[in-house]
Amino acid sequence: MKETDREAVATAVQRVAGMLQRPDQLDKVEQYRRREARKKASVEARLKAAIQSQLDGVRTGLSQLHNALNDVKDIQQSLADVSKDWRQSINTIESLKDVKDAVVQHSQLAAAVENLKNIFSVPEIVRETQDLIEQGALLQAHRKLMDLECSRDGLMYEQYRMDSGNTRDMTLIHGYFGSTQGLSDELAKQLWMVLQRSLVTVRRDPTLLVSVVRIIEREEKIDRRILDRKKQTGFVPPGRPKNWKEKMFTILERTVTTRIEGTQADTRESDKMWLVRHLEIIRKYVLDDLIVAKNLMVQCFPPHYEIFKNLLSMYHQALSTRMQELASEDLEANEIVSLLTWVLNTYTSTEMMRNVELAPEVDVSTLEPLLSPHVVSELLDTYMSTLTSNIIAWLRKALETDKKDWVKETEPEADQDGYYQTTLPAIVFQMFEQNLQVAAQISEDLKTKVLVLCLQQMNSFLSRYKDEAQLYKEEHLRNRQHPQCYVQYMIAIINNCQTFKESIVSLKRKYLKNEVEEGVSLSQPNMDGILDAIAKEGCSGLLEEVFLDLEQHLNELMTKKWLLGSNAVDIICVTVEDYFNDFAKIKKLYKKRMTAEAHRRVVVEYLRAVMQKRISFRSPEERKEGAEKMVREAEQLRFLFRKLASGFGEDVDGCCDSIVAVAEVIKLTDPSLLYLEVSTLVSKYPDIRDDHIGALLAVRGDTSRDMKQTIMETLEQGPAQASPSYMPLFKDIVVPSLNVAKLLK
């Protein structure tokens, strides 16, 4: 306490020192004293109040403890009295056992008396109930059945209460009411028949369906009541619980399954379109049934049955099972497409589950897939495998059919522009188009895969097409009289190449929509190269046909007969023009190339005739005459090929100029200028070789050995460089085995 007092005094001193730090604060000492006195009085008052409150609480607690002690003593005394009374009443309870048995027996007899009328009238009620069931009066029949069951169950319950182990009496009661279970089964059979035809019944006689639902609801209530009593007494009447609501949904589910399975009217053997018909019937039936269920059946069932939701689930499950069964069958390619199109597209389209008449109750996004992704993947793999085999077979058959046309004695058909063609490109791309359209109905991914497959098989097909065209040409060359329309069909084959190119481009443009797919297309083999090779070989074959007919006349060039007045070039021009009249039905691109190649080859053959040294001029007059004839014939050829190339915009003078340039060398009268003339010739035609110069000088027939040697040596010192646009004419001309040394001699 002393320590506390000291701390209080120190605190007070510190507080007073804080208040009186300045002289002017001394005037307020009395004010400070009064304020502190008030604070002290307030603190003391609060302390007194707190102590008083605690004292009152202690006093109340002591009073309650005293009362509780008295109550415990009273309870203890009461328990002692109860124990004493219980010991005294044991004998009294045992003496009342007979009264208890009498009460139970009285209760049973009262129940028997109450049901006595029903007991005696059971056979009559059974007959009436049977008649009502047969008449279709299901509600009245069920009411009487309920009365019978109520009487039976009441008697059996009383017997169970009196003596649960007495099976003889229970069996007796059950036997007497034995017809009741038969009536229940017969009524149930009628109910299930109505439910099986519920979609028809709800349109014709909805009252009957409502009666069935009411009966089921009654039975459900009875089941619930009996199960509640079982928890208390353990007694359950025979045949309970009936669970007719559960059986109702089972019947509906079985009905839905049977309806789905029963829609297959045909088989593959009887109708190739059996699956399409089957799926269309399913679509129509399911849509009609669900619309009826949504608009009519929901009005006949209590809301908590959720009849439309349950029926939708049943139909979906039945459809899934049926689709699985169909997928497990050995389906053909077109059947796989039909199935996947229906499952992936039709089912969720406005033609079925998205139909406006089913909205908003049917939410397609909540429906599980009819087929699992694994099954769909397997079907697609099977489809692609089958499609690959089919495309290969179709292409092979199309080519074989086209080959048969090649040997016909009638000309091929012409397109709208008058160009020969065969039906092969149209058949091939019609087949591709059909398969791509079908694949596009299933998915974009499958469409891309099918396009890639078509392009791959097209590449292989074109290789076979090229081989067959080559064999066709070789077969004709062995016997030029057969086939009769070889030229026309070779023209059609050439024209087909451009048609194939255009069709491939069109196919890619139509079925490749974005850059990713464009990348897929670029990875395909280059078919343009194969088509160009086929067209080139075909054009070459046609020109070969021309030059086989020209061979005899080309051999007359630069011979004595030619110099004396042969009309070989006239015949050559007429023959070429005649053939090119036949070639008028080649498409412009290929005809342009053929014209240029024919022009080049005619000139090369003319130059070859010069280089083969078939003639050696003996005098300046002969040289002049021969050179002038060459110039005239060059003009003839130039006129011919200008005429043939009209409309192509091609320069046809260059090739014929080479004949004129060679003629100038032959025509030259001053040998001293021969070097300059030859140099000019070599500068214009850089591919001319020494043996060509030697042969040309030999044709002149007047060049000395020294002159030849000088010209050769000078030309060897500075070979001319060819321009990029120069088309070689001399490089393929082979001079007969007559080397330069022999020419110099």
Side-chain angles (χ1 to χ4, degrees):
M1 288 296 291
K2 292 181 179 181
E3 184 67 27
T4 304
D5 291 343
R6 281 197 298 272
E7 288 180 0
V9 170
T11 302
V13 170
Q14 186 177 0
R15 184 175 177 81
V16 171
M19 292 179 181
L20 303 176
Q21 290 181 354
R22 297 188 306 275
D24 60 330
Q25 291 177 328
L26 292 174
D27 297 336
K28 298 180 180 180
V29 169
E30 187 62 30
Q31 181 181 349
Y32 290 154
R33 183 182 293 113
R34 286 195 300 272
R35 187 174 67 185
E36 291 303 321
R38 285 196 300 273
K39 285 184 179 180
K40 180 180 177 184
S42 174
V43 170
E44 288 177 350
R46 287 200 300 272
L47 284 174
K48 289 179 181 179
I51 291 171
Q52 184 64 40
S53 176
Q54 289 180 355
L55 290 175
D56 291 342
V58 170
R59 188 180 296 110
T60 302
L62 289 174
S63 175
Q64 289 176 347
L65 286 173
H66 180 72
N67 293 335
L69 179 61
N70 293 332
D71 291 341
V72 168
K73 289 179 179 179
D74 292 341
I75 291 169
Q76 187 176 11
Q77 182 62 40
S78 297
L79 286 173
D81 295 341
V82 168
S83 177
K84 180 179 178 182
D85 293 341
W86 176 73
R87 289 191 185 92
Q88 292 175 354
S89 63
I90 289 176
N91 295 331
T92 305
I93 293 172
E94 290 179 354
S95 64
L96 292 175
K97 186 172 185 257
D98 294 338
V99 177
K100 177 184 175 183
D101 293 341
V103 170
V104 172
Q105 188 175 11
H106 175 76
S107 176
Q108 291 174 341
L109 291 172
V113 170
E114 185 180 348
N115 292 290
L116 196 58
K117 182 178 179 181
N118 290 337
I119 291 173
F120 285 115
S121 61
V122 164
E124 182 182 354
I125 296 175
V126 168
R127 285 192 301 272
E128 291 176 357
T129 305
Q130 185 68 46
D131 292 340
L132 288 171
I133 292 174
E134 292 175 356
Q135 294 167 11
L138 303 182
L139 276 176
Q140 294 91 323
H142 184 250
R143 172 59 62 187
K144 290 187 175 294
L145 177 63
M146 287 172 62
D147 293 341
L148 288 172
E149 289 180 340
C150 183
S151 298
R152 180 198 64 185
D153 297 346
L155 290 172
M156 294 183 78
Y157 175 63
E158 294 299 334
Q159 177 61 36
Y160 178 83
R161 285 177 58 196
M162 183 176 69
D163 186 2
S164 59
N166 188 348
T167 57
R168 188 180 69 82
D169 290 347
M170 295 288 278
T171 304
L172 180 64
I173 297 171
H174 186 268
Y176 186 75
F177 286 91
S179 301
T180 305
Q181 187 60 43
L183 289 174
S184 178
D185 295 341
E186 184 66 27
L187 179 62
K189 188 184 297 184
Q190 294 298 318
L191 299 182
W192 307 151
M193 288 177 62
V194 173
L195 287 171
Q196 286 171 354
R197 304 180 68 253
S198 57
L199 290 166
V200 177
T201 304
V202 76
R203 283 180 279 196
R204 295 181 180 176
D205 186 7
T207 307
L208 180 59
L209 184 60
V210 172
S211 298
V212 170
V213 176
R214 288 179 61 188
I215 292 170
I216 292 172
E217 270 293 278
R218 288 175 183 174
E219 291 294 338
E220 284 295 301
K221 291 179 181 178
I222 295 171
D223 281 349
R224 287 194 294 271
R225 187 170 67 247
I226 287 175
L227 289 176
D228 290 341
R229 189 171 66 181
K230 178 186 175 183
K231 296 176 183 178
Q232 301 173 0
T233 64
F235 173 73
V236 179
R240 291 289 179 180
K242 291 184 179 181
N243 294 322
W244 277 7
K245 180 181 177 182
E246 181 180 338
K247 291 179 181 178
M248 177 195 75
F249 282 113
T250 303
I251 293 296
L252 288 174
E253 186 174 2
R254 192 182 307 138
T255 302
V256 168
T257 302
T258 304
R259 184 162 174 78
I260 297 298
E261 292 175 349
T263 54
Q264 182 175 344
D266 302 300
T267 61
R268 184 182 295 120
E269 291 72 21
S270 62
D271 186 355
K272 291 293 183 183
M273 300 296 289
W274 69 276
L275 185 57
V276 174
R277 295 180 187 279
H278 180 39
L279 294 174
E280 176 57 20
I281 292 172
I282 288 177
R283 184 198 67 79
K284 188 175 183 306
Y285 281 12
V286 171
L287 180 59
D288 290 347
D289 291 354
L290 290 178
I291 290 174
V292 169
K294 175 178 176 290
N295 296 329
L296 300 177
M297 285 190 69
V298 292
Q299 301 175 20
C300 301
F301 288 79
H304 65 273
Y305 275 52
E306 296 184 319
I307 189 64
F308 180 75
K309 180 180 178 181
N310 282 296
L311 278 174
L312 177 63
S313 176
M314 292 174 193
Y315 272 101
H316 184 76
Q317 185 57 45
L319 286 173
S320 180
T321 303
R322 183 56 182 158
M323 296 305 115
Q324 295 279 0
E325 292 172 354
L326 291 172
S328 64
E329 295 185 14
D330 187 15
L331 297 177
E332 297 177 356
N334 62 315
E335 294 169 350
I336 292 175
V337 168
S338 298
L339 180 63
L340 289 178
T341 302
W342 198 92
V343 168
L344 301 178
N345 298 325
T346 304
Y347 183 65
T348 56
S349 71
T350 54
E351 296 180 14
M352 203 166 177
M353 290 304 181
R354 288 188 192 273
N355 191 284
V356 292
E357 294 194 51
L358 296 179
E361 281 77 0
V362 178
D363 183 0
V364 175
S365 61
T366 62
L367 297 176
E368 293 292 325
L370 291 178
L371 292 176
S372 67
H374 175 68
V375 174
V376 172
S377 177
E378 286 185 342
L379 285 173
L380 289 175
D381 291 343
T382 303
Y383 173 71
M384 290 300 294
S385 175
T386 306
L387 182 61
T388 302
S389 303
N390 288 345
I391 287 178
I392 292 172
W394 290 333
L395 290 174
R396 185 178 294 113
K397 183 177 179 181
L399 183 54
E400 290 298 322
T401 303
D402 206 55
K403 282 170 56 183
K404 292 177 182 177
D405 292 342
W406 296 352
V407 296
K408 286 182 177 179
E409 296 182 357
T410 56
E411 294 183 358
E413 297 178 357
D415 62 14
Q416 66 271 20
D417 297 320
Y419 300 122
Y420 283 139
Q421 64 174 6
T422 68
T423 57
L424 183 63
I427 291 172
V428 169
F429 282 94
Q430 184 180 8
M431 176 188 65
F432 286 169
E433 188 83 23
Q434 289 173 352
N435 284 287
L436 285 165
Q437 288 175 357
V438 167
Q441 292 175 5
I442 298 176
S443 69
E444 288 294 311
D445 182 58
L446 181 63
K447 180 196 72 175
T448 303
K449 288 181 179 179
V450 171
L451 179 59
V452 171
L453 172 63
C454 290
L455 294 175
Q456 289 173 340
Q457 294 305 320
M458 186 66 187
N459 188 68
S460 303
F461 167 76
L462 290 177
S463 297
R464 292 196 299 273
Y465 190 51
K466 178 183 176 185
D467 295 340
E468 294 296 342
Q470 182 66 24
L471 290 173
Y472 182 57
K473 182 178 78 171
E474 294 172 358
E475 185 70 26
H476 172 71
L477 292 176
R478 283 194 287 270
N479 179 8
R480 294 185 62 202
Q481 302 303 317
H482 182 79
Q484 184 176 339
C485 295
Y486 166 78
V487 171
Q488 289 84 351
Y489 278 99
M490 183 56 75
I491 290 173
I493 291 171
I494 294 168
N495 289 339
N496 285 349
C497 293
Q498 185 171 341
T499 305
F500 275 125
K501 277 187 178 183
E502 293 169 353
S503 299
I504 290 169
V505 171
S506 174
L507 205 65
K508 289 182 179 180
R509 186 182 298 117
K510 184 174 181 180
Y511 290 100
L512 291 177
K513 300 298 184 185
N514 54 48
E515 294 180 359
V516 176
E517 292 177 332
E518 288 285 356
V520 173
S521 72
L522 293 176
S523 67
Q524 301 307 312
N526 184 6
M527 289 168 280
D528 286 353
I530 301 175
L531 290 167
D532 287 341
I534 296 172
K536 185 177 180 181
E537 287 294 326
C539 293
S540 175
L542 292 177
L543 289 178
E544 191 69 28
E545 192 79 4
V546 177
F547 282 91
L548 283 172
D549 286 349
L550 296 179
E551 185 175 3
Q552 176 186 349
H553 308 293
L554 290 170
N555 289 336
E556 286 186 15
L557 298 176
M558 301 306 293
T559 62
K560 285 290 185 182
K561 180 180 178 182
W562 168 79
L563 186 61
L564 294 173
S566 168
N567 60 349
V569 171
D570 294 336
I571 297 174
I572 289 170
C573 289
V574 170
T575 304
V576 170
E577 185 173 7
D578 184 55
Y579 266 103
F580 269 82
N581 286 334
D582 294 339
F583 297 162
K585 296 192 176 182
I586 297 179
K587 291 186 176 180
K588 289 185 178 180
L589 173 66
Y590 301 119
K591 188 178 180 183
K592 177 180 176 181
R593 294 176 185 174
M594 283 184 66
T595 303
E597 180 60 17
H599 186 191
R600 190 192 72 83
R601 282 188 64 177
V602 169
V603 172
V604 168
E605 292 299 327
Y606 200 108
L607 295 174
R608 182 178 282 112
V610 176
M611 300 305 168
Q612 286 180 346
K613 201 195 168 201
R614 298 172 183 172
I615 187 173
S616 180
F617 297 110
R618 302 297 182 182
S619 64
E621 289 76 15
E622 278 192 359
R623 285 192 290 275
K624 181 180 178 182
E625 182 183 353
E628 288 176 351
K629 186 174 180 64
M630 289 175 66
V631 172
R632 287 196 304 273
E633 291 177 345
E635 284 300 321
Q636 275 186 271
L637 295 174
R638 181 181 286 113
F639 177 79
L640 170 66
F641 285 104
R642 277 179 179 172
K643 181 179 178 182
L644 296 179
S646 61
F648 296 149
E650 288 291 303
D651 178 17
V652 297
D653 294 341
C655 290
C656 292
D657 287 345
S658 63
I659 299 176
V660 176
V662 170
E664 291 298 328
V665 174
I666 294 173
K667 183 180 179 182
L668 190 65
T669 56
D670 186 356
S672 63
L673 300 176
L674 191 59
Y675 168 72
L676 292 176
E677 198 68 40
V678 172
S679 298
T680 303
L681 180 66
V682 172
S683 65
K684 285 184 178 179
Y685 305 100
D687 61 322
I688 197 167
R689 301 189 300 272
D690 291 349
D691 53 349
H692 295 144
I693 300 299
L696 181 57
L697 295 177
V699 170
R700 274 185 60 87
D702 68 337
T703 310
S704 66
R705 180 180 178 182
D706 292 339
M707 177 65 73
K708 293 176 183 178
Q709 188 71 36
T710 302
I711 291 172
M712 294 295 184
E713 291 175 355
T714 305
L715 292 174
E716 288 176 358
Q717 292 175 3
Q721 296 294 324
S723 67
S725 61
Y726 174 70
M727 182 174 63
L729 293 171
F730 290 90
K731 72 171 186 176
D732 295 330
I733 299 175
V734 178
V735 177
S737 55
L738 184 68
N739 58 32
V740 175
K742 290 182 180 179
L743 290 171
L744 293 176
K745 292 178 182 179

